[in-house]
Amino acid sequence: MKTLKFGGTSVANANNIKLVKDIVSQNQAPTVVVVSAFGGVTDLLLNALDLAAKNEIGYKEILSQIEERHFNAIKLLFPVAIHSGLISKVKSELNDLETLLEGAFLIGETTQRLSDKVVSYGELLSSYLISEHFKAEGLDAILKNGRELIITNDNFGNASVNFSKTNEQVAAFFENNSHKITVVPGFVAATEDGDATTLGRGGSDFTAAILAAATNSEILEIWTDVSGMYTANPKLVKQAKCVAHISYEEAMELSHFGAKVLYPPTIQPVLNKEIPIVIKNTFEPEQEGTLITKNTNGEGKTVRGISHIGNISLLSLEGPGMVGIPGISKRFFETISQIGVSVVLITQASSEHSICIGIADKDVANASKAVNLAFEYEIASKKIHPVKVETDLAIVALVGDNMKSHQGLSGKMFSTLGKNNVNIRAIAQGASERNISTVIDKKDIKKALNALHEAFFEENIKQLNLFVMGCGNVGSKLLQQLQQQHSYLKKELKLNVRVIGIANSRKMVFQEGGIDLSNWQDTLDSGTIANQEAFISKIKELNYRNSIFVDNTANATVAATYSDYLKNSISVVTCNKIACSSEYQNYLSLKQLAKKYNAPFLFETNVGAGLPILDTLKHLIVSGDKVKKIQAVLSGSLNFVFNNFNGETTFHDVVKQAQEQGYTEPDPTIDLSGIDVARKILILARESGYHLELTDIENEAFLPEESLQTNSNEAFFNTLVKYESDFQKRYKNAADKGCKLKYVAQFENGKAKVGLQEIPQGHDFYNLEGSDNIVLFYTERYPQQPLIIKGAGAGADVTASGIFADIVRIGNF
């Protein structure tokens, strides 16, 4: 004997019912087939009853919808010749249903007894049509009303099964049943007096388990719309995997905490008899599914699944009058029990100062009112505070039989959540250590599940979610590098880097599954109008784990948004120097926010593009060294200009060439005014531990004041032509001394300056070619011979590579 149960989605329409018939017909052994109502019909029945009880005539429209669905199924499942008989039978049942609803309409109320009668029509109708379809297709089938098999008490709405009577009824029926297939409606039952009852939420699963146990079935198959129990909800965690084999206890824990493919009480009737359960997909029957048996995991995997329950509230009772007073917990839980509220989580401090329970949001108003009333005297005398309520929460749980045998799982769980700024409101762990539960904000469910799944199931592959602002020279090169290195990062560094959002000054676009970087420009062009506030809001709304905001602009307004990202645990990677060279307090605040919210703030490319200047400096400071002096050529653009400016070229032409080749900012005055170099030496000084402002940097400008005051590139270049003789004179003076012109930044004794200098032969700066940068660190460990870092310090490729390195650095945190 086998018992098969098909859920609402499996029998939602005629096409699905045909799939069910194909699955059932492949069984050789005698089979019990338990079916739910057509998908959605139970909700329609409840809505109709609710409207009728409110004296709203709309219940008749719902009744018409139910009739239409079943008539349509008849038309698609059966030959025309037998339509009239089937329609007549269904119409008769619906007439009885209409009479019940009319009664509720006339008296303006309903009862649990009436509700049980009304909602049972879904299963009664579906089981009738399915059994008749089986017969029409040549299967040896019979329909048996579940009310004649399963006997319960009269707790209408959620009746308790009388197993001894039920087992007698089942045994008596199957002893004389010679049909190969027995179709039974799930969910429905009856009292000994014959009054209709139901088995509550998930009742069809329960019906199947009761019958499987009573008939000693060799297996119980639960057919649904997913291919088994997953390591997490696959709708929220795309990387979730089907668990091939799981224990009864693990399955109960997962199903209790939201794994909706299985109703928790289902397991109990078959557990004692060790009847295996298999969960299969009606629409992909070839899939292996999940087998549930006694624990055979041995010393195998620890965490078997991650589950969650949404719409949870915390109810906390606390106060000094609770400490050492017997009976407080009893009164608290007794009060909750008396109003019929189910407690899904309990936690209590060892000080006995507080008790906290988790209940469904829908119950919190009644529960808080009842508890405050029960402890009215203690609250009035200030021994206990009024009950504290926290809503819009969720429970996330790790489940596994072998968790108790492994140390550090709780720490790994809490650390993973903490790194992603998921605040834990409460914690509970049973003595069996099969389950570790945490209460978190409901808005963080998806992020928490994905972060935990990544930590426990994904072979250490970490997903990084990027939001890129700025797609010019640097930004486009970065996107090209990310596309080119995607496979390498995933294979060698275990980093799955996805670009979720892109924006420039005109457009922005988001794709939750990641943007195809081979076609990002077209995707961006088809996006919406760019809006910084909307960009930030969307990132917050997505609430992805390991989110990184990448700023490739030189925009002050964008730099001003960094704190918003960091406060939401969104890391920031930037080549934009404005934030770190702004007021010292703002720079310090950003660094502190990064620590507080565990969101790295990295800006390696602020100085030296892709050169590891800041990283090297950071290691010097961390290791206890102290910077005494810094000398540097920090502008690749200015170095390019003065390396190419000579008696045979004009200053105007060289600067124009530098702009066209991408060595300068779009506005070249930012580079040639020295402000860019001033910002860089300021950042180096600050990272060395010194408190300086940009106004403290002495800037010896070499450009005429008229050039600095221009408001367009055209006007700026016109002034360079006008003052060409001055630039030529500056070059000739240096050349006559055997020197080269270099724009140098220097920091010493707490003071910094930038300016054009004549560098003699033999100096470390003299042979600096092209657009290279060079930094000389004089420290307590390098007092005479400095630590030198030298290399390409400008250009889109190297700057993008520096940003790329910072992204990888965050991935390795």
Side-chain angles (χ1 to χ4, degrees):
M1 178 79 75
K2 287 184 177 182
T3 299
L4 280 63
K5 179 263 175 178
F6 293 89
T9 52
S10 298
V11 296
N13 53 50
N15 287 334
N16 292 4
I17 291 171
K18 290 176 182 178
L19 295 176
V20 169
K21 186 269 300 180
D22 292 339
I23 292 168
V24 172
S25 63
Q26 293 176 15
N27 281 312
Q28 300 302 315
T31 305
V32 178
V33 178
V34 178
V35 295
S36 297
F38 288 4
V41 167
T42 300
D43 287 338
L44 289 174
L45 290 165
L46 288 169
N47 290 340
L49 181 58
D50 182 58
L51 290 174
K54 293 176 180 177
N55 298 122
E56 295 183 24
I57 202 68
Y59 78 88
K60 291 190 175 183
E61 173 60 32
I62 294 178
L63 199 58
S64 296
Q65 292 178 36
I66 294 171
E67 179 181 275
E68 183 180 359
R69 285 194 60 183
H70 290 84
F71 284 179
N72 283 340
I74 290 171
K75 292 173 184 176
L76 294 171
L77 287 172
F78 299 95
V80 175
I82 62 173
H83 280 186
S84 59
L86 295 167
I87 289 174
S88 177
K89 170 65 175 175
V90 170
K91 188 66 177 176
S92 174
E93 293 289 337
L94 291 175
N95 286 339
D96 292 342
L97 171 61
E98 185 173 17
T99 301
L100 294 174
L101 293 172
E102 284 176 352
F105 180 81
L106 291 172
I107 64 175
E109 66 177 14
T110 185
T111 64
Q112 280 294 346
R113 182 192 292 261
L114 178 58
S115 179
D116 274 358
K117 286 184 178 180
V118 169
V119 297
S120 64
Y121 276 87
E123 275 73 13
L124 294 175
L125 289 170
S126 68
S127 60
Y128 168 69
L129 292 180
I130 289 168
S131 64
E132 291 299 315
H133 176 63
F134 286 176
K135 294 175 188 176
E137 293 295 314
L139 301 183
D140 179 19
I142 186 175
L143 174 65
K144 180 63 176 175
N145 193 331
R147 291 172 178 166
E148 298 170 1
L149 295 176
I150 299 177
I151 309 303
T152 70
N153 63 10
D154 60 0
N155 183 19
F156 299 101
N158 192 16
S160 295
V161 176
N162 183 329
F163 281 97
S164 60
K165 291 282 186 183
T166 296
N167 290 339
E168 287 178 13
Q169 295 287 104
V170 173
F173 171 73
F174 281 100
E175 184 178 351
N176 299 307
N177 178 32
S178 60
H179 294 279
K180 185 177 179 182
I181 298 168
T182 304
V183 179
V184 180
F187 184 54
V188 301
T191 66
E192 287 190 64
D193 295 331
D195 291 326
T197 58
T198 60
L199 300 179
R201 183 178 68 86
S204 292
D205 282 357
F206 199 15
T207 298
I210 293 167
L211 297 178
T215 58
N216 292 310
S217 291
E218 63 182 87
I219 194 165
L220 168 59
E221 297 179 5
I222 306 288
W223 290 84
T224 181
D225 58 353
V226 293
S227 301
M229 299 189 83
Y230 280 70
T231 49
N233 185 339
K235 293 179 181 177
L236 297 177
V237 181
K238 300 301 182 186
Q239 290 77 27
K241 306 165 187 173
C242 184
V243 181
H245 194 180
I246 198 170
S247 74
Y248 293 118
E249 292 79 9
E250 289 170 331
M252 280 194 286
E253 292 279 0
L254 284 172
S255 58
H256 175 71
F257 280 93
K260 299 186 185 303
V261 295
L262 189 65
Y263 179 51
T266 295
I267 298 172
Q268 197 59 49
V270 297
L271 188 151
N272 292 335
K273 292 192 174 183
E274 296 187 359
I275 296 172
I277 303 172
V278 64
I279 299 172
K280 299 271 285 181
N281 190 337
T282 304
F283 310 102
E284 295 181 347
E286 72 282 355
Q287 294 292 320
E288 182 181 358
T290 296
L291 178 64
I292 304 171
T293 65
K294 64 180 181 180
N295 186 6
T296 58
N297 193 26
E299 293 299 317
K301 294 181 180 179
T302 52
V303 178
R304 304 304 301 279
I306 306 166
S307 200
H308 77 281
I309 309 175
N311 302 316
I312 292 293
S313 292
L314 285 183
L315 215 65
S316 300
L317 187 68
E318 58 183 60
M322 293 173 58
V323 179
I325 305 299
I328 295 289
S329 298
K330 176 181 179 295
R331 289 171 59 195
F332 184 44
F333 291 112
E334 194 170 59
T335 300
I336 297 297
S337 174
Q338 287 173 349
I339 60 173
V341 171
S342 177
V343 176
V344 295
L345 178 139
I346 303 169
T347 179
Q348 180 175 14
S350 58
S351 66
E352 303 180 30
H353 184 266
S354 67
I355 304 172
C356 177
I357 62 171
I359 62 176
D361 279 343
K362 64 182 178 63
D363 296 323
V364 72
N366 288 337
S368 59
K369 182 179 178 180
V371 173
N372 281 333
L373 185 62
F375 290 91
E376 187 175 18
Y377 170 75
E378 288 86 353
I379 292 171
S381 59
K382 300 190 184 303
K383 293 179 180 179
I384 294 178
H385 305 309
V387 68
K388 180 181 177 183
V389 174
E390 296 175 78
T391 58
D392 293 324
L393 303 173
I395 297 175
V396 172
L398 294 187
V399 173
D401 279 337
N402 293 327
M403 284 167 51
K404 61 185 177 182
S405 304
H406 292 75
Q407 293 76 31
L409 292 178
S410 298
K412 185 176 181 180
M413 179 185 191
F414 302 147
S415 173
T416 299
L417 294 175
K419 286 178 180 178
N420 286 278
N421 199 33
V422 176
N423 188 33
I424 297 173
R425 299 295 306 114
I427 300 167
Q429 181 173 6
S432 69
E433 298 184 39
R434 186 178 287 119
N435 176 307
I436 305 172
S437 301
T438 60
V439 180
I440 64 173
D441 285 339
K442 187 166 65 175
K443 66 179 177 62
D444 290 327
I445 287 176
K446 186 174 182 180
K447 178 163 67 171
L449 291 175
N450 278 277
L452 291 171
H453 195 272
E454 183 177 82
F456 287 97
F457 290 103
E458 294 179 30
E459 299 177 358
N460 297 320
I461 292 180
K462 187 174 184 178
Q463 186 177 97
L464 303 182
N465 297 294
L466 308 189
F467 302 89
V468 179
M469 179 78 74
C471 307
N473 290 336
V474 174
S476 60
K477 291 295 184 183
L478 173 64
L479 295 173
Q480 180 183 330
Q481 291 174 13
L482 288 170
Q483 180 195 6
Q484 177 184 318
Q485 293 300 105
H486 183 269
S487 297
Y488 174 86
L489 291 176
K490 195 167 185 179
K491 181 180 179 181
E492 300 297 331
L493 301 185
K494 304 299 181 185
L495 295 176
N496 180 23
V497 182
R498 307 188 307 171
V499 177
I500 306 298
I502 300 177
N504 59 21
S505 59
R506 297 175 294 101
K507 294 288 186 105
M508 65 181 190
V509 67
F510 291 87
Q511 288 187 359
E512 295 187 20
I515 294 169
D516 180 1
L517 295 185
S518 66
N519 194 35
W520 67 265
Q521 186 67 66
D522 290 341
T523 304
L524 180 59
D525 289 342
S526 64
T528 58
I529 295 173
N531 181 294
Q532 280 199 58
E533 290 183 4
F535 195 77
I536 297 173
S537 295
K538 183 63 176 180
I539 298 174
K540 291 179 183 178
E541 176 192 329
L542 290 172
N543 199 22
Y544 282 160
R545 70 199 187 282
N546 306 324
S547 291
I548 304 174
F549 172 66
V550 182
D551 179 14
N552 301 312
T553 75
N555 189 297
T557 306
V558 176
T561 65
Y562 294 170
S563 60
D564 289 338
Y565 291 104
L566 296 172
K567 286 175 184 176
N568 286 276
S569 291
I570 299 165
S571 302
V572 175
V573 171
T574 180
C575 60
N576 187 339
K577 293 172 278 293
I578 293 175
C580 289
S581 59
S582 62
E583 293 80 4
Y584 181 80
Q585 195 54 47
N586 182 58
Y587 157 83
L588 190 62
S589 173
L590 293 174
K591 303 265 286 189
Q592 291 170 341
L593 286 173
K595 292 179 182 177
K596 181 177 180 180
Y597 293 99
N598 199 33
F601 173 42
L602 300 184
F603 44 91
E604 181 68 61
T605 49
N606 277 197
V607 181
L611 294 176
I613 295 172
L614 290 176
D615 195 49
T616 301
L617 176 57
K618 186 186 299 182
H619 287 303
L620 288 173
I621 302 301
V622 168
S623 66
D625 204 354
K626 186 173 182 180
V627 172
K628 295 296 185 180
K629 183 171 72 170
I630 301 172
Q631 286 183 310
V633 173
L634 295 172
S635 174
S637 54
L638 284 172
N639 200 42
F640 177 89
V641 167
F642 288 110
N643 276 336
N644 288 278
F645 177 51
N646 52 49
E648 299 175 1
T649 60
T650 67
F651 193 70
H652 166 279
D653 290 348
V654 173
V655 174
K656 192 70 175 176
Q657 182 186 0
Q659 184 195 40
E660 290 171 351
Q661 294 187 18
Y663 289 123
T664 72
E665 299 289 350
D667 177 5
T669 58
I670 294 174
D671 298 278
L672 274 71
S673 67
I675 186 66
D676 188 59
V677 177
R679 285 179 175 144
K680 291 176 180 178
I681 194 65
L682 174 64
I683 292 168
L684 286 176
R686 286 177 172 178
E687 290 293 290
S688 299
Y690 292 88
H691 180 166
L692 266 73
E693 299 289 355
L694 189 58
T695 53
D696 296 328
I697 311 296
E698 181 183 348
N699 189 344
E700 300 172 352
F702 68 88
L703 286 178
E705 188 64 25
E706 183 180 346
S707 298
L708 294 173
Q709 296 302 320
T710 55
N711 54 18
S712 71
N713 283 354
E714 182 181 0
F716 171 72
F717 281 110
N718 286 338
T719 64
L720 298 188
V721 174
K722 180 178 179 180
Y723 291 97
E724 180 65 33
S725 60
D726 291 349
F727 299 129
Q728 291 290 347
K729 183 178 179 182
R730 192 77 181 255
Y731 167 76
K732 187 174 185 306
N733 287 340
D736 289 346
K737 299 175 188 175
C739 297
K740 290 184 178 181
L741 292 174
K742 302 289 181 183
Y743 199 86
V744 177
Q746 184 165 314
F747 172 75
E748 188 173 11
N749 298 324
K751 295 182 180 181
K753 66 178 181 179
V754 297
L756 196 61
Q757 294 184 18
E758 297 175 353
I759 303 299
Q761 289 187 16
H763 194 284
D764 290 306
F765 296 168
Y766 185 83
N767 290 316
L768 196 64
E769 299 296 331
S771 61
D772 285 0
N773 280 190
I774 186 170
V775 178
L776 280 58
F777 286 120
Y778 292 88
T779 71
E780 289 181 347
R781 293 182 191 152
Y782 299 90
Q784 302 300 325
Q785 294 297 323
L787 174 62
I788 300 174
I789 302 172
K790 178 182 176 182
D797 275 319
V798 291
T799 303
S801 71
I803 295 170
F804 188 101
D806 274 348
I807 292 169
V808 171
R809 203 170 278 124
I810 289 176
N812 290 328
F813 276 0

